[in-house]
Amino acid sequence: MTVKIPCNTHELKILPKWFEDVQANKKNFEIRKNDRNFEVGDYLILKEWYRGKFTDRYVIRRIEYIYKGDGTYGLSEDYCVLGLKVPQVVIVGRK
Protein backbone atom coordinates (compact mmCIF):
# COMPACT_ATOMS: atom_id res chain seq x y z
CA MET A 1 0.00 0.00 0.00
CA THR A 2 1.27 3.48 -0.88
CA VAL A 3 0.16 6.75 0.64
CA LYS A 4 0.39 9.52 -1.93
CA ILE A 5 0.54 13.15 -0.84
CA PRO A 6 0.21 15.26 -3.99
CA CYS A 7 1.70 18.55 -2.76
CA ASN A 8 4.66 19.74 -0.74
CA THR A 9 4.96 18.53 2.83
CA HIS A 10 6.54 20.63 5.56
CA GLU A 11 7.64 19.13 8.89
CA LEU A 12 7.43 21.72 11.65
CA LYS A 13 7.93 21.80 15.41
CA ILE A 14 4.98 22.73 17.60
CA LEU A 15 4.94 23.25 21.37
CA PRO A 16 2.62 21.08 23.51
CA LYS A 17 0.25 23.94 24.46
CA TRP A 18 -0.45 24.58 20.78
CA PHE A 19 -0.29 20.93 19.73
CA GLU A 20 -3.20 20.04 22.04
CA ASP A 21 -5.43 22.70 20.50
CA VAL A 22 -4.55 21.75 16.92
CA GLN A 23 -5.12 18.06 17.67
CA ALA A 24 -8.51 18.85 19.23
CA ASN A 25 -9.42 21.03 16.22
CA LYS A 26 -9.76 24.11 18.44
CA LYS A 27 -6.91 25.88 16.61
CA ASN A 28 -7.13 25.86 12.83
CA PHE A 29 -4.28 28.23 11.97
CA GLU A 30 -0.53 28.63 12.36
CA ILE A 31 1.48 31.84 12.40
CA ARG A 32 4.86 31.03 10.87
CA LYS A 33 7.93 32.65 9.41
CA ASN A 34 7.33 32.61 5.67
CA ASP A 35 10.63 30.93 4.76
CA ARG A 36 9.39 27.67 3.22
CA ASN A 37 7.42 28.76 0.17
CA PHE A 38 4.12 27.61 1.69
CA GLU A 39 1.31 27.15 -0.83
CA VAL A 40 -2.39 26.39 -0.57
CA GLY A 41 -2.74 22.61 -0.85
CA ASP A 42 0.54 21.85 0.93
CA TYR A 43 0.56 19.61 3.98
CA LEU A 44 2.02 20.33 7.40
CA ILE A 45 3.28 17.59 9.66
CA LEU A 46 3.22 19.31 13.03
CA LYS A 47 5.49 17.38 15.37
CA GLU A 48 5.23 17.99 19.09
CA TRP A 49 8.45 19.52 20.50
CA TYR A 50 8.93 19.22 24.26
CA ARG A 51 12.01 20.07 26.32
CA GLY A 52 14.33 20.20 23.35
CA LYS A 53 13.24 17.02 21.59
CA PHE A 54 10.41 15.53 19.59
CA THR A 55 7.78 13.40 21.27
CA ASP A 56 6.10 10.60 19.30
CA ARG A 57 3.01 12.75 18.64
CA TYR A 58 2.20 14.58 15.42
CA VAL A 59 -0.77 15.81 13.42
CA ILE A 60 -1.17 16.36 9.70
CA ARG A 61 -3.01 19.38 8.38
CA ARG A 62 -3.64 20.78 4.90
CA ILE A 63 -3.10 24.47 4.13
CA GLU A 64 -6.39 25.94 2.93
CA TYR A 65 -5.58 29.65 3.11
CA ILE A 66 -2.50 31.86 3.41
CA TYR A 67 -2.39 35.45 4.62
CA LYS A 68 1.05 36.84 3.83
CA GLY A 69 2.13 39.61 6.16
CA ASP A 70 2.52 43.02 4.59
CA GLY A 71 3.26 45.12 7.64
CA THR A 72 -0.39 45.85 8.40
CA TYR A 73 -2.46 44.31 11.18
CA GLY A 74 0.71 43.68 13.19
CA LEU A 75 2.07 40.95 10.91
CA SER A 76 5.46 41.71 9.42
CA GLU A 77 6.33 40.91 5.83
CA ASP A 78 8.38 37.82 6.69
CA TYR A 79 5.51 36.03 8.48
CA CYS A 80 2.26 34.44 7.36
CA VAL A 81 -0.94 33.01 8.81
CA LEU A 82 -1.78 29.55 7.50
CA GLY A 83 -5.43 28.47 7.59
CA LEU A 84 -5.50 24.72 8.30
CA LYS A 85 -7.92 21.87 7.73
CA VAL A 86 -7.90 18.19 8.65
CA PRO A 87 -7.08 16.49 5.35
CA GLN A 88 -9.19 13.87 3.68
CA VAL A 89 -6.99 10.82 3.48
CA VAL A 90 -6.69 9.05 0.16
CA ILE A 91 -4.92 5.70 0.22
CA VAL A 92 -3.64 4.45 -3.10
CA GLY A 93 -2.85 0.75 -3.19
CA ARG A 94 -2.67 -2.33 -5.34
CA LYS A 95 -5.22 -5.16 -5.47
Side-chain angles (χ1 to χ4, degrees):
M1 182 181 347
T2 303
V3 176
K4 185 175 182 180
I5 299 177
C7 297
N8 292 324
T9 302
H10 309 274
E11 291 188 23
L12 302 169
K13 297 176 187 172
I14 186 169
L15 296 175
K17 64 182 178 178
W18 306 123
F19 179 87
E20 294 291 335
D21 287 344
V22 172
Q23 185 179 47
N25 295 318
K26 293 179 184 176
K27 181 177 178 274
N28 61 357
F29 65 92
E30 280 290 306
I31 300 172
R32 294 287 175 155
K33 188 166 181 78
N34 193 7
D35 60 354
R36 294 176 175 254
N37 194 31
F38 295 112
E39 295 181 19
V40 170
D42 288 355
Y43 289 84
L44 301 183
I45 300 173
L46 299 169
K47 299 170 78 173
E48 187 180 40
W49 182 256
Y50 181 67
R51 295 188 177 179
K53 62 182 180 178
F54 289 109
T55 68
D56 62 346
R57 301 191 322 157
Y58 66 92
V59 293
I60 299 173
R61 295 293 183 266
R62 185 174 189 270
I63 298 174
E64 294 290 320
Y65 179 83
I66 300 174
Y67 170 72
K68 294 181 181 179
D70 59 5
T72 59
Y73 305 112
L75 192 63
S76 67
E77 294 176 4
D78 54 342
Y79 280 82
C80 62
V81 178
L82 305 172
L84 306 177
K85 185 176 180 181
V86 177
Q88 293 181 348
V89 177
V90 177
I91 300 176
V92 179
R94 291 183 271 176
K95 290 184 179 182

